[in-house]
Amino acid sequence: MHRLVEAPDGRYDVAILGGGFAGATASRRLTQAGLRVLIVEARDRLAGRMWSQDDFFDGHAVEWGGAFMLDRPSYPLTWREIDRHGLALEWGSLEDTTLIWLSGGQRRVGSMPVPVDELASLERLVVRLSQLASRIDTQRPLEEQDVADLDVPWPMLLEDLALGPHTRELFAAHIVTLAGDAWNVPSALPLLHGIAQSGSVMAATFFAAPYDTPMARTLGPQLAGGTGALHAAVMSDSSADVLLNTRVSAVTGDGDAVRVQTSAGEITVDAAVCALPIGVLSSVHFTPAVSPELRLLADQGVAAQADKATVFVHDCPEPFYAHGIPPEGGFATASTTFHDGDRAIVVGFTSEPGILDLTDHAAVEKALRQYVPGITVDAVAWHDWAGDDFSRGTWSYLRPGQTSVRPAARHPLGRVTFAGSDYDSRLGVEGALHTGGLAAEEVLDILGH
Ligand SMILES: Cc1cc2nc3c(=O)[nH]c(=O)nc-3n(C[C@H](O)[C@H](O)[C@H](O)COP(=O)(O)OP(=O)(O)OC[C@H]3O[C@@H](n4cnc5c(N)ncnc54)[C@H](O)[C@@H]3O)c2cc1C
């Protein structure tokens, strides 16, 4: 079992910088191999961008960051942990869900995402997405395939389709929900890869909503005990020491040792795993300097910068799933994850970074009322991950051109290896578990274990 320490307790073989899921996974592997490991974490808690809190409002828990578990084929490592530790899942309300679409300034209710006169446009989009995705071999790493022409912003792949304005807006709403930024910012490749993996455009996009609601069924379930239970499960098999409230500022790899400069002093170890988000790497000084590929990723940061909010509401007569580009700004997707009488919990993803002041309840209420007139906001849970010094962004979603540099970016730098979902084609927590394992194996190689 891991233990919290106030200061380093003797000499450690390996330091792990950052105690999110990537750091936790690396610590488990390395301590099981018999190494003495110290996790150095800047926050006063572990788990980084997946942070759950019990009893936030009216007895309900909240997930401030990542929450949804994708399907088994996309998240094999995560599901292995869920199964192994017997964690319970919540799939959301099974009540009928009202579908609300907002595009071209028009609010529509019902199973048809676009007006009838745009059905041909929607079909053109679906066919194009299928054709592009069919070029991807899901059994081989993306960076080894001839798909550079797909590693571009969406407008470049769709501009000749003459999409109708509603189709275009709803697809843009889908992209901002997935990628956390406007549809001309992220690369098209990750979603095309997702379509290839699931074998269906509908299964990989929110256009499946008419057939497969509520949101939990389109995004995946949440953990009944919160994501904190999943992190605790990983850490329960790690015997690392954990130093909280300690910020890493410099990492020097010289010869046989790595020196880690922290706010609590210098720590010398035989090897280190850097499991920090790429958005914060620019604030850590590396000697020797990191590779040009990692420098590029660190300077660009993750694409996803838009906000997720969990909103506790009443005057909400039915569970709903709403999707669109609200004319007055607000949520690109808003959906009930819990509904009881007229009370509900709504999870919303904003239509643009910074478009909505989520500390202002009246503004959040106004934004939701574009979808559900009369809805009343009781409480809002939101964390500013983009402004947070220890994340500088939300989830990992690649920008154009990043796929080809990503493998080289994670190459060990002497005795320092790198982990974190931001380096991986597997999204979210799955990428963190995957790279945490890879970085730990690299450390074992370096140390000759
Ligand atoms: C709003 C939001 C919604 C998301 N939704 C989903 C979802 O539904 N499903 C999903 O799978 N994923 C989701 N994600 C992504 C998921 O949370 C992350 O991919 C995953 O948690 C990243 O894990 P990590 O270990 O790579 O990085 P992190 O969790 O960021 O861990 C890095 C750790 O390093 C620490 N650190 C940073 N700087 C320093 C420093 N200088 N010194 C010491 N420590 C430092 C941080 O405090 C942190 O604990 C979401 C993320 C956000 C923010």
Side-chain angles (χ1 to χ4, degrees):
M1 186 69 181
H2 69 283
R3 59 175 190 148
L4 297 180
V5 293
E6 293 294 321
D9 179 16
R11 186 151 195 320
Y12 296 91
D13 301 306
V14 182
I16 294 184
L17 320 180
F21 274 89
T25 309
S27 85
R28 177 173 64 184
R29 176 71 182 104
L30 293 171
T31 56
Q32 284 178 342
L35 296 175
R36 283 208 75 198
V37 172
L38 177 68
I39 297 178
V40 185
E41 167 57 53
R43 300 183 198 273
D44 59 2
R45 59 169 182 84
L46 292 173
R49 281 171 282 169
M50 273 202 157
W51 173 30
S52 58
Q53 183 187 338
D54 295 337
D55 197 8
F56 170 76
F57 179 77
D58 205 15
H60 293 286
V62 74
E63 294 282 2
W64 297 90
F68 297 99
M69 304 292 123
L70 299 196
D71 56 17
R72 281 178 183 272
S74 316
Y75 271 33
L77 300 173
T78 311
W79 280 89
R80 194 189 299 165
E81 301 292 343
I82 291 171
D83 292 342
R84 200 155 69 90
H85 295 279
L87 300 177
L89 295 160
E90 273 173 2
W91 289 90
S93 155
L94 293 174
E95 288 176 72
D96 282 347
T97 302
T98 301
L99 300 169
I100 305 163
W101 309 96
L102 193 50
S103 55
Q106 205 183 79
R107 176 180 177 274
R108 297 178 306 281
V109 177
S111 59
M112 192 85 82
V114 293
V116 176
D117 61 359
E118 275 204 22
L119 272 181
S121 166
L122 180 61
E123 277 191 12
R124 284 200 299 281
L125 173 65
V126 171
V127 170
R128 172 63 57 87
L129 296 178
S130 302
Q131 286 168 339
L132 295 175
S134 70
R135 289 183 42 205
I136 296 172
D137 177 353
T138 56
Q139 303 304 314
R140 287 170 52 219
L142 272 179
E143 48 278 1
E144 289 174 11
Q145 302 183 42
D146 182 19
V147 288
D149 59 320
L150 305 182
D151 193 9
V152 294
W154 279 104
M156 285 178 67
L157 296 177
L158 304 179
E159 61 197 350
D160 61 316
L161 281 185
L163 294 177
H166 297 277
T167 314
R168 207 180 122 98
E169 274 196 16
L170 289 174
F171 189 62
H174 177 59
I175 297 303
V176 70
T177 304
L178 265 187
D181 220 325
W183 78 323
N184 58 351
V185 175
S187 168
L189 203 46
L191 175 57
L192 291 172
H193 190 236
I195 293 171
Q197 270 177 326
S198 70
S200 142
V201 175
M202 298 314 254
T205 66
F206 294 129
F207 293 123
Y211 314 104
D212 196 6
T213 55
M215 177 138 111
R217 296 204 175 277
T218 49
L219 273 183
Q222 301 188 75
L223 289 161
T227 50
L230 183 61
H231 195 275
V234 176
M235 284 304 290
S236 68
D237 294 329
S238 163
S239 57
D241 281 359
V242 178
L243 192 57
L244 296 176
N245 302 305
T246 307
R247 183 179 188 152
V248 172
S249 54
V251 179
T252 307
D254 46 8
D256 291 344
V258 176
R259 288 182 287 122
V260 180
Q261 197 63 49
T262 79
S263 49
E266 191 172 278
I267 299 159
T268 302
V269 283
D270 297 333
V273 177
C274 176
L276 307 175
I278 57 168
V280 310
L281 284 187
S282 301
S283 63
V284 178
H285 188 77
F286 284 86
T287 314
V290 298
S291 65
E293 291 85 359
L294 182 50
R295 180 80 277 142
L296 180 85
L297 289 192
D299 289 347
Q300 291 183 342
V302 291
Q305 302 284 326
D307 297 300
K308 168 190 172 181
T310 306
V311 191
F312 297 81
V313 299
H314 66 276
D315 296 327
C316 177
E318 297 155 330
F320 70 90
Y321 170 89
H323 191 56
I325 300 289
E328 294 177 48
F331 297 106
T333 299
S335 175
T336 48
T337 54
F338 165 86
H339 186 262
D340 183 19
D342 82 330
R343 298 194 162 266
I345 300 175
V346 177
V347 172
F349 295 90
T350 57
S351 58
E352 213 181 297
I355 189 95
L356 186 58
D357 179 359
L358 290 156
T359 62
D360 178 351
H361 285 197
V364 175
E365 193 167 272
K366 190 172 164 209
L368 285 180
R369 284 184 175 183
Q370 295 177 77
Y371 288 117
V372 183
I375 200 166
T376 305
V377 170
D378 296 316
V380 182
W382 160 76
H383 181 75
D384 181 9
W385 296 103
D388 184 328
D389 277 350
F390 304 133
S391 53
R392 291 275 164 218
T394 55
W395 53 91
S396 39
Y397 210 90
L398 293 169
R399 295 175 189 273
Q402 288 187 341
T403 297
S404 54
V405 297
R406 192 185 43 197
R410 221 189 53 70
H411 275 171
L413 183 67
R415 292 172 164 260
V416 182
T417 69
F418 294 86
S421 61
D422 301 345
Y423 298 92
D424 213 39
S425 62
R426 304 178 185 208
L427 298 174
V429 62
E430 181 71 15
L433 296 177
H434 183 225
T435 54
L438 295 178
E441 295 304 329
E442 289 161 354
V443 163
L444 293 174
D445 266 2
I446 290 165
L447 298 182
H449 263 252

